[in-house]
Amino acid sequence: MPSNEKFLGEFEQVVLLALLRLKEQAYGAAIRQLLDEQINRDVAIGALYSTLERMEKKGLVTSKLGEATAERGGRAKRFFSVTAAGEGALKRSRSAMDTMWQGVSVFSGVNPL
Amino acid sequence: MNFSEKSSLPALFSWLLRHALAPSYRESALGDLAEEYKVRRQASVRDAFKWLCHQTLRACFQWLNRAAGSRMLIVCSLSLLTVFVVPTVYLMVVWLSNMDAASPALWEPLLVGDMHKIVVQAEFWQVAIEATSGSQDLLMFIHVEAVLWVLVSVFALVLKQNTMTSHQLAGAGLILMLLPYVWGLLVLSTFPPGLKLIGPMLAFMLFCLLYMVLPLTWLVLQHRRRSRRIESGI
């Protein structure tokens, strides 16, 4: 792997995975709700969008505007999707984590007796 | 569909969020918040309100963080601090070293360490600038105790910097920089020492400010640079 390829931050990984899970329905509110429901992570909308924006600049995600709706006060949804580069970055990060976890046993704190 | 009501959020929150959210994603984020707020209100109006307050507060903190953390603001703040502290302390030292007599307006605050009250007086700047034509040498600006204080402080900051944000590092550095000054003020105003001891105490108070400002500026900027690299995944 070229040394100039970068690894994703933890939150970036989590957001990319959320986009992959949500597929065509990956927009701000849905991503936020998924993270809250699945990993109990209450993310601020601003933090989510600034991460998505940063990843879009890096070419890891793309976005497109959907239709405006009344319940959104007439504002359009912005749908996000993972690019091939984003998928590659996820695979690299996962591979790196799997490699580092090899041979590591973490005490769970549960007394087996 | 009638889209004339642009926001379905309460007016105050809408206004705050409009100013706190970055322009590039403001409309999408407001739409998401309005959508989720409406859904939450159907379950519980009170919980929805609490949630909206929480989201708004976090957006405002993020805005503050963006504003306060902008490199330009940090550079400007630290530059202003340097530009203000260095010449002020220089003039104060030169004036004190060459002082024969001082007016009561300058002398009385000096006896209790209130040098911050002296620098706001026009008379100080006049006499201090005049004093620069008097004798000066490098030894006037060397104070061993202040050097030791600053070395220990900088060492402590370097040791702890990895556990701090740039703002925390700047805050801790400012506290360490100002602590001798505050300590001197307390001692001089509470237990006025003899005239012979006032001079060394004033010197310690001043030189800790002078010596600390540049290392602190450098540490904070380096920390900021490293943090940016880590955030970008470099």
Side-chain angles (χ1 to χ4, degrees):
Chain A
M1 184 183 71
S3 60
N4 62 351
E5 286 181 342
K6 300 160 190 164
F7 291 107
L8 297 169
E10 176 263 345
F11 187 57
E12 288 176 327
Q13 288 185 59
V14 154
V15 168
L16 284 176
L17 289 168
L19 298 192
L20 288 171
R21 291 182 78 170
L22 287 167
K23 297 189 174 66
E24 295 85 26
Q25 288 306 307
Y27 67 101
I31 300 166
R32 225 198 62 76
Q33 282 162 18
L34 181 74
L35 293 177
D36 195 11
E37 285 161 13
Q38 293 292 312
I39 57 172
N40 207 27
R41 192 152 174 180
D42 184 19
V43 175
I45 198 76
L48 176 62
Y49 268 98
S50 57
T51 300
L52 286 165
E53 204 177 43
R54 192 170 62 242
M55 290 198 289
E56 195 168 11
K57 282 180 188 163
K58 289 187 200 175
L60 304 177
V61 303
T62 55
S63 68
K64 63 179 183 191
L65 279 177
E67 297 241 336
T69 58
E71 53 268 357
R72 292 173 62 86
R75 296 178 181 90
K77 292 179 185 178
R78 181 171 286 277
F79 293 96
F80 294 87
S81 57
V82 185
T83 62
E87 287 187 12
L90 259 179
K91 283 177 193 160
R92 277 197 302 280
S93 297
R94 172 130 190 219
S95 172
M97 290 297 282
D98 288 344
T99 304
M100 291 308 297
W101 271 103
Q102 280 175 22
V104 174
S105 72
V106 178
F107 177 62
S108 67
V110 176
N111 191 338
L113 297 177
Chain B
M1 277 182 193
N2 182 7
F3 294 158
S4 59
E5 285 287 333
K6 187 74 173 169
S7 175
S8 50
L9 295 169
L12 174 63
F13 293 94
S14 185
W15 185 87
L16 282 169
L17 287 163
R18 185 164 287 288
H19 287 82
L21 293 169
S24 52
Y25 55 76
R26 179 183 295 146
E27 289 302 309
S28 306
L30 279 171
D32 290 330
L33 287 168
E35 181 184 315
E36 196 168 341
Y37 178 64
K38 186 171 179 176
V39 169
R40 284 175 181 264
R41 270 178 70 92
Q42 286 164 2
S44 163
V45 171
R46 188 176 168 180
D47 288 347
F49 185 75
K50 271 172 63 176
W51 172 84
L52 185 60
C53 288
H54 193 221
Q55 284 289 320
T56 308
L57 262 174
R58 288 170 82 178
C60 292
F61 276 127
Q62 220 185 344
W63 173 83
L64 273 173
N65 200 40
R66 274 200 313 272
S70 71
R71 183 178 161 82
M72 185 55 76
L73 186 65
I74 290 180
V75 167
C76 286
S77 303
L78 292 172
S79 302
L80 274 173
L81 189 65
T82 307
V83 160
F84 176 71
V85 168
V86 171
T88 304
V89 172
Y90 164 75
L91 286 172
M92 184 70 78
V93 169
V94 168
W95 171 59
L96 287 171
S97 304
N98 290 286
M99 185 170 64
D100 291 323
S103 70
L106 297 180
W107 181 248
E108 283 167 16
L110 201 61
L111 289 178
V112 291
D114 284 345
M115 288 179 282
H116 51 282
K117 290 184 182 171
I118 293 173
V119 297
V120 296
Q121 298 192 40
E123 186 190 347
F124 161 72
W125 295 98
Q126 189 186 341
V127 298
I129 290 168
E130 282 170 8
T132 56
S133 58
S135 64
Q136 297 179 50
D137 65 69
L138 193 57
L139 286 176
M140 273 164 57
F141 298 97
I142 296 175
H143 191 274
V144 173
E145 290 87 348
V147 169
L148 287 173
W149 171 262
V150 168
L151 281 175
V152 168
S153 300
V154 169
F155 183 65
L157 289 173
V158 167
L159 276 183
K160 284 290 183 184
Q161 64 178 333
N162 290 335
T163 60
M164 292 186 193
T165 64
S166 301
H167 300 123
Q168 288 169 339
L169 184 67
L174 278 171
I175 289 172
L176 289 169
M177 186 168 126
L178 293 170
L179 206 54
Y181 192 86
V182 172
W183 170 83
L185 274 179
L186 285 172
V187 169
L188 287 171
S189 59
T190 316
F191 309 107
L195 278 175
K196 278 190 182 174
L197 289 175
I198 290 178
M201 287 195 70
L202 292 177
F204 181 64
M205 290 160 70
L206 280 175
F207 284 115
C208 286
L209 290 174
L210 181 66
Y211 295 160
M212 191 74 182
V213 71
L214 287 176
L216 176 62
T217 304
W218 181 82
L219 266 176
V220 170
L221 288 177
Q222 287 291 99
H223 189 280
R224 185 94 197 123
R225 208 170 287 142
R226 268 200 306 277
S227 302
R228 287 284 193 209
R229 280 202 216 117
I230 290 167
E231 276 170 29
S232 323
I234 296 173

